[in-house]
Amino acid sequence: MANKLLSEMGLPKSIAYIFSARNLITAKDVLSLTEFELMELLDVDLAVVASAVAHISEITCPPYQTALSLLEQRVQNERMAGHLPTCLKGLDNALCGGIPFGVVTELVGPAGIGKTQFCLKLSLLASLPLSYGGLDGSVIYIDTESKFSSRRMIEMGYNSFPEAFHAEGMAQEMAGRILVLRPTSLSEFTDSLQKIRVSLFQHGVKLLIIDSMAALLAGEGVQGPQRQHSLGWHISFIKSVAEFSRIPVVVTNQVRSQSRDETSHYSFQELSRVDRSEASTNLDSHLVAALGIHWAHAVSIRLVFESRSGQRFIKLAKSPLSPPLAFPFNITSSGISLLNDDGVEMPGPEIHTIHCQGLI
């Protein structure tokens, strides 16, 4: 709008002629000068200059928007972008429909907590026909720890969607849509990323899962600046795949113990002095995400899986659309099942800490 021509703004002919004679052609030419500079340049009264500037500013400046209109626009954009429903009602509601397309969603938690179970169910849901709420597409599953189980995924299908999976050939068709890659090194994984970008269109891929990224770096023994450089390159590439293909990308992350001399800086907000003190007194029971703070800030959605006193929880620790919520869950023959769809709001550093107590 700043480059809009003054001749198109309906100014009085007298002042429009003066602007043109002084080589002031666009709105930017006028608005980049003060009113007193314009008075001197145009040799006209302040009232004339002020009136012309007000007229140009009104046309050039974008119209205001209400908070309501911005909210409606955001919701509409989210609907157009799309989501992969998890079939966990409370979590889907909090995420405005499920795992969002076009961004990276991270699952972080200790081994055996249910991250891979969650990924298997997402794979199943992405490959299901549209009539059953699926995406009717293929899935690329990068299985770095050999945890992928076709048998378990099909078991979830039979128990979650019996009508679909009892149809002849349905189980085989669903299993045939899951493309499993098992890179054994970081360099092999990097090579596979280049091939994935091509495969996304060749195979109609609707979901990319990397389970897990942390295992690859742990196997390489990469540390220090080299580790951060490698992480930076990989997360940038993975984010570009999500944005370019407009599919959900899910990455799992492991945990490590938090040392006593390490400050609790893994939350996405500044901690108060009291919060820091409380966090430092409980370090023995706290774990932190293995890939570190830079990775954490790069992902759009973070789901923390933890166990406290024998009860498992999914915590929505990072989301631009939801307050921090915790959902208790069990693992059943159908996959993960929430015990409470409402969730419990959990502000402060507690939403970001990761417990592993009494896991059964």
Side-chain angles (χ1 to χ4, degrees):
M1 292 296 288
N3 292 320
K4 188 176 179 65
L5 298 175
L6 297 179
S7 59
E8 299 175 354
M9 293 193 175
L11 289 166
K13 290 183 179 180
S14 56
I15 191 66
Y17 174 78
I18 297 175
F19 279 137
S20 178
R22 299 298 188 275
N23 201 32
L24 299 177
I25 308 302
T26 67
K28 182 178 180 180
D29 294 335
V30 174
L31 297 179
S32 60
L33 300 173
T34 67
E35 292 183 346
F36 290 104
E37 288 173 332
L38 287 170
M39 283 177 58
E40 183 177 352
L41 179 63
L42 304 177
D43 193 23
V44 296
D45 294 338
L46 177 60
V48 175
V49 169
S51 176
V53 169
H55 181 82
I56 294 170
S57 298
E58 184 178 358
I59 294 176
T60 305
C61 294
Y64 69 84
Q65 291 180 283
T66 66
L68 177 60
S69 67
L70 289 172
L71 177 61
E72 291 172 343
Q73 182 179 337
R74 180 68 177 267
V75 171
Q76 180 63 26
N77 289 341
E78 286 295 319
R79 287 174 180 170
M80 292 177 64
H83 295 82
L84 171 59
T86 66
C87 288
L88 303 175
K89 183 179 178 182
L91 185 60
D92 285 342
N93 289 341
L95 291 173
C96 298
I99 305 298
F101 292 5
V103 300
V104 178
T105 297
E106 179 196 34
L107 316 179
V108 57
I113 193 68
K115 302 187 301 296
T116 296
Q117 300 272 349
F118 192 87
C119 290
L120 291 174
K121 187 63 173 285
L122 290 180
S123 300
L124 170 68
L125 293 168
S127 62
L128 272 176
L130 295 173
S131 57
Y132 289 95
L135 299 182
D136 197 25
S138 297
V139 176
I140 293 180
Y141 196 114
I142 300 179
D143 180 24
T144 68
E145 297 181 277
S146 298
K147 291 183 177 180
F148 180 87
S149 171
S150 299
R151 184 185 297 274
R152 175 62 175 136
M153 187 187 70
I154 292 173
E155 178 189 16
M156 292 179 183
Y158 274 112
N159 288 283
S160 302
F161 306 96
E163 293 182 5
F165 271 76
H166 281 91
E168 185 177 354
M170 177 61 77
Q172 290 81 359
E173 181 180 349
M174 294 298 98
R177 292 183 175 185
I178 315 298
L179 312 175
V180 181
L181 302 176
R182 285 180 168 155
T184 58
S185 67
L186 187 61
S187 60
E188 190 176 328
F189 170 71
T190 304
D191 291 340
S192 68
L193 284 177
Q194 305 289 351
K195 299 173 184 177
I196 284 171
R197 184 169 282 181
V198 177
S199 300
L200 291 173
F201 298 100
Q202 291 180 339
H203 299 285
V205 173
K206 298 296 179 69
L207 171 66
L208 170 62
I209 292 177
I210 304 173
D211 184 20
S212 74
M213 185 67 198
L216 285 171
L217 271 84
E220 295 288 315
V222 181
Q223 297 296 332
Q226 184 181 355
R227 174 187 172 94
Q228 292 305 316
H229 175 75
S230 180
L231 271 177
W233 185 90
H234 282 90
I235 188 60
S236 295
F237 191 96
I238 293 167
K239 288 178 69 173
S240 72
V241 168
E243 294 167 1
F244 179 73
S245 59
R246 304 307 301 173
I247 64 171
V249 174
V250 176
V251 180
T252 67
N253 189 0
Q254 298 174 348
V255 297
R256 63 176 175 81
S257 299
Q258 186 178 27
S259 60
R260 284 192 170 277
D261 60 349
E262 185 177 24
T263 57
S264 182
H265 58 273
Y266 282 85
S267 65
F268 299 98
Q269 59 191 31
E270 184 66 23
L271 302 184
S272 68
R273 185 176 300 175
V274 174
D275 290 335
R276 289 196 191 98
S277 176
E278 291 178 354
S280 64
T281 59
N282 294 316
L283 287 178
D284 290 338
S285 63
H286 288 176
L287 302 170
V288 294
L291 294 179
I293 188 65
H294 297 296
W295 176 278
H297 282 298
V299 301
S300 297
I301 306 292
R302 168 175 272 193
L303 299 177
V304 171
F305 288 64
E306 70 169 12
S307 174
R308 283 177 285 159
S309 303
Q311 177 63 64
R312 301 172 195 251
F313 291 87
I314 297 176
K315 299 194 297 189
L316 182 51
K318 182 183 181 184
S319 168
L321 301 175
S322 172
L325 296 171
F327 299 92
F329 74 93
N330 284 335
I331 298 178
T332 69
S333 59
S334 299
I336 287 176
S337 175
L338 298 185
L339 302 181
N340 183 345
D341 285 327
D342 294 330
V344 177
E345 192 162 347
M346 191 178 290
E350 181 61 24
I351 192 67
H352 306 289
T353 56
I354 307 170
H355 297 272
C356 185
Q357 302 170 350
L359 182 62
I360 55 174

